[in-house]
Amino acid sequence: MKQIEYNALPHQMKVLNSDKKFIFMGGGVGCGKTDVGSLWSLVKILDTPNDVRGLICANSYSQLIDSTLANVYKNFKSWGVKLDPPEPPKTHRPFNLRVFNGKNWVEIMCRSLDNFVMLSGVEVGWWWADEVFQTKRNAIDLLNARLRDTRMKNQSLMTTTLDDPGTWMYEMFVDNHNSDLMEVLYAKTYDNEKNLPAGYIDALKSTYTEQMFRRMVMSEWVALDGQAIYYAFSRESNVTEDAEYQEGIPILWSLDFNIGKGKPASSCLCHIKKGRGVNGEVQLE
């Protein structure tokens, strides 16, 4: 294999240098997520012993073959990597790719996750899943259970645009982040601006809603529901003052499901004091 020269961006280098078992790369469109997935896979291939398999997957065979594997083949060929078969399949179906790492041929299973239970019983040394924001949590759990071939260091990579703060990705990598096992990285589209067409980001800004731009370009966890926008809760900005629960006093819960732009959903919890005020109003506390 010839020497490969690749000018990786800072966030891509962090992916390639991570020694954590689970690597999560959340990024804006065009920030180089799939490119780094291809390069990370090649790095893993170089360390894969004979008869140990890797796995590359996406949410559908259309996405896997037309996007993920298209990028893998384009990059591997430009880097002089030997591939078998030399071209990706034309039909959307399960597919095994073999790559020569200079010592042995490494078999890589290329699979869709739309029927992920078919991977039950498989054992791999590493896996890469592309655009996992569309992936079911059960599929990721199954992939993690398959990551157990002890003949090499086991690692996985997830590359994706971000999603709603209420999704499994946020729960796994933010709420329950385990720094001993997980490397969580973010990249904005601006981080790869020099390699994008002139005016690309400005065009997105003119067509995306403010919330969509924050998610798809700025790589932020933003909640969306079609044209309805729900802002993520922040105690610092959404709680006006501290309050203490007083036992024995009724609680009133008021909820307003605003869904328009600039009109986030709101919720209010308060006590109702016994009795009424001088003008008949309910005393709130």
Side-chain angles (χ1 to χ4, degrees):
M1 185 182 297
K2 71 177 184 180
Q3 184 174 350
I4 297 170
E5 183 176 337
Y6 183 87
N7 295 319
L9 297 166
H11 61 274
Q12 294 175 322
M13 284 300 301
K14 290 178 181 178
V15 170
L16 299 173
N17 290 332
S18 176
D19 63 353
K20 301 299 176 63
K21 185 171 185 177
F22 306 113
I23 306 170
F24 178 84
M25 172 77 254
V29 292
C31 77
K33 299 185 297 296
T34 308
D35 261 357
V36 78
S38 295
L39 188 56
W40 181 87
S41 297
L42 181 57
V43 172
K44 300 307 296 180
I45 289 167
L46 294 175
D47 290 333
T48 302
N50 192 32
D51 295 331
V52 175
R53 291 185 293 183
L55 171 66
I56 296 177
C57 49
N59 302 290
S60 67
Y61 280 110
S62 176
Q63 180 190 31
L64 175 68
I65 293 170
D66 299 338
S67 176
T68 307
L69 286 182
N71 184 282
V72 167
Y73 267 81
K74 178 194 71 174
N75 284 331
F76 280 21
K77 285 183 175 182
S78 70
W79 298 332
V81 179
K82 293 182 180 179
L83 303 169
D84 177 31
E87 299 294 334
K90 302 298 182 183
T91 57
H92 297 164
R93 57 179 174 80
F95 175 65
N96 281 15
L97 167 66
R98 295 199 314 149
V99 179
F100 190 68
N101 67 4
K103 298 170 291 186
N104 53 269
W105 287 92
V106 177
E107 184 179 20
I108 304 167
M109 302 175 64
C110 303
R111 297 291 189 270
S112 165
L113 294 176
D114 57 359
N115 192 14
F116 61 88
V117 294
M118 298 301 292
L119 290 169
S120 299
V122 170
E123 192 172 274
V124 299
W126 57 270
W127 59 260
W128 166 36
D130 197 19
E131 291 299 356
V132 294
F133 79 95
Q134 296 175 320
T135 303
K136 295 179 180 178
R137 170 68 182 267
N138 289 347
I140 298 299
D141 290 341
L142 185 143
L143 291 179
N144 288 339
R146 302 299 100 202
L147 188 65
R148 63 188 192 202
D149 196 313
T150 58
R151 289 172 288 180
M152 70 176 295
K153 180 180 176 63
N154 297 153
Q155 281 190 299
S156 68
L157 171 64
M158 287 167 257
T159 51
T160 186
T161 47
L162 296 185
D163 204 347
D164 191 296
T167 61
W168 68 264
M169 291 197 309
Y170 190 89
E171 179 185 1
M172 180 180 291
F173 296 109
V174 180
D175 287 341
N176 297 315
H177 176 243
N178 184 331
S179 58
D180 292 331
L181 293 174
M182 301 174 181
E183 187 85 62
V184 178
L185 304 166
Y186 301 99
K188 301 177 177 63
T189 305
Y190 286 103
D191 294 331
N192 192 36
E193 187 173 11
K194 65 180 181 180
N195 295 315
L196 296 172
Y200 175 79
I201 298 177
D202 288 338
L204 294 179
K205 192 169 187 178
S206 67
T207 55
Y208 282 163
T209 64
E210 178 185 350
Q211 299 300 95
M212 182 66 78
F213 186 82
R214 287 174 55 198
R215 178 192 288 187
M216 301 300 291
V217 175
M218 303 304 293
S219 190
E220 298 178 14
W221 296 98
V222 178
L224 305 172
D225 183 16
Q227 295 301 311
I229 301 172
Y230 299 86
Y231 293 89
F233 174 79
S234 167
R235 178 168 296 278
E236 181 177 336
S237 59
N238 296 126
V239 177
T240 55
E241 61 183 51
D242 293 332
E244 294 184 3
Y245 171 67
Q246 298 183 37
E247 188 175 353
I249 300 179
I251 297 175
L252 173 67
W253 180 22
S254 175
L255 189 63
D256 189 354
F257 286 102
N258 289 311
I259 59 174
K261 184 174 182 179
K263 300 178 180 179
S266 60
S267 181
C268 175
L269 286 170
C270 59
H271 277 308
I272 302 178
K273 287 184 176 179
K274 295 180 180 180
R276 293 183 175 273
V278 292
N279 296 319
E281 304 94 342
V282 175
Q283 299 278 323
L284 299 181
E285 182 174 277

